[in-house]
Amino acid sequence: SFNTKLIVSVGIGEYSKLKFDFLYTANEQDSGKEIVSSQEQIVFFDYQKGKISKIPQRFLDFCEKSQVKNMKQPVSNAV
């Protein structure tokens, strides 16, 4: 049904100096049933040098401050 309300969660999974994972889930609001779960691996690319670059320190600092390092489940929710 198109009237189903979902809770969509997005989180940061495992990361290293060169890559990190975004985690996504969508659950039915009423039942909590998981509808979809996905993972996406992200790298940073330096177009001037033409190669993959290290994750910016600002992003790594955010991950450490937010205590999201190596999470296995999404950590933030929005309806």
Side-chain angles (χ1 to χ4, degrees):
S1 153
F2 293 111
N3 294 324
T4 302
K5 292 185 180 182
L6 299 175
I7 296 175
V8 176
S9 301
V10 179
I12 298 170
E14 294 185 27
Y15 63 92
S16 67
K17 292 181 181 180
L18 297 175
K19 62 182 173 142
F20 70 95
D21 297 333
F22 268 135
L23 308 174
Y24 306 93
T25 61
N27 298 71
E28 286 183 354
Q29 185 175 16
D30 294 335
S31 70
K33 178 182 174 185
E34 185 173 279
I35 303 301
V36 66
S37 176
S38 180
Q39 179 176 326
E40 174 182 25
Q41 194 167 82
I42 305 291
V43 296
F44 288 83
F45 192 82
D46 185 329
Y47 286 94
Q48 291 177 339
K49 294 180 180 177
K51 64 179 187 175
I52 293 173
S53 63
K54 290 183 179 178
I55 294 176
Q57 188 60 47
R58 183 175 174 184
F59 183 83
L60 293 173
D61 292 344
F62 168 79
C63 291
E64 290 294 332
K65 182 179 177 183
S66 302
Q67 298 178 349
V68 296
K69 184 173 184 176
N70 297 327
M71 299 294 290
K72 298 299 181 196
Q73 298 293 322
V75 294
S76 62
N77 294 318
V79 175

